[in-house]
Amino acid sequence: MLKEEKLPAEARFYRCTRTAVAAFTHVLCIAFTVFLVFLSRPGSSLFSWHPFLMTLAVSHPPILPHGSPVRKFAHKTKGRIHWVLQCMCVTCAIAGLVVIVHNKNVNDKPHLTSWHGLLGLITVCVIGLQSVAALPLIYHPLAKGWSLAKLKRYHAASGLVTYLLGCATLLLGLCSAWFTAAVSDYTWYLSALCPALSALVIMDQVSRTYTAKKRLQS
């Protein structure tokens, strides 16, 4: 057997840096979710369930090629974990939407009066469509005439768009009167770092991973 070619020092440093940034992103998202739990105190009011559920729905990053805690697991195991997280995401997103709609009805407030509300509704719809569109990856006969490799590329691209929509909605939510009144300026900037950094890391890893695969296949 041929020995694996050793990567240059610059390439190893770059790979280690990407892994460290991705790992830090996971830790930051967990810390942000825990912070929102303490801030919103789910159960203290009807509205309190909305930020809690929506944070659970969109704050966790997907399984990444670099830096993910499960990256060394078997492909089938990672697929199952991904589906569990996706089901949790869809459930929390729909529940969070139902809560805020009911809360506005109870308090006789108008719906969809902010960019956060409009983009949030679009994001929830896209999350649902993304999940349904991913079914052919499990039941390949549903997509006759489509190769599994092409389905994975489209799924990754649409998943990236969906996650960016979620991050944008989360950022707009941080601009709401409820959040800005509950935190200081420094805390707000630290909180905004979570969706912003997650979006950048995932854009980088997804684009580079599938670009590299395309080069290898060409």
Side-chain angles (χ1 to χ4, degrees), residues 31-45 47-49 51-52 55 173-174 176-184 187-188 191:
F32 177 76
T33 302
V34 173
F35 171 68
L36 257 292
V37 170
F38 284 101
L39 189 67
S40 61
R41 292 181 299 164
S44 59
S45 66
F47 172 80
S48 66
W49 289 104
F52 169 68
T55 302
L174 299 183
S176 65
W178 168 79
F179 190 81
T180 53
V183 301
S184 64
T187 306
W188 189 92
S191 300

Side-chain angles (χ1 to χ4, degrees), residues 90-165:
V90 173
T91 302
C92 290
I94 294 175
L97 179 63
V98 171
V99 165
I100 195 62
V101 169
H102 182 57
N103 183 71
K104 285 183 176 290
N105 289 337
V106 168
N107 293 283
D108 197 24
K109 292 183 178 180
H111 298 279
L112 304 177
T113 57
S114 65
W115 285 109
H116 171 67
L118 290 169
L119 190 59
L121 177 60
I122 294 172
T123 301
V124 173
C125 293
V126 173
I127 288 173
L129 290 174
Q130 164 73 1
S131 299
V132 174
L135 288 175
L137 288 172
I138 299 178
Y139 306 103
H140 194 219
L142 293 175
K144 294 181 179 179
W146 291 74
S147 67
L148 191 57
K150 183 178 290 187
L151 285 174
K152 287 182 178 181
R153 286 197 298 270
Y154 282 124
H155 178 65
S158 60
L160 175 59
V161 172
T162 303
Y163 190 77
L164 292 179
L165 283 173

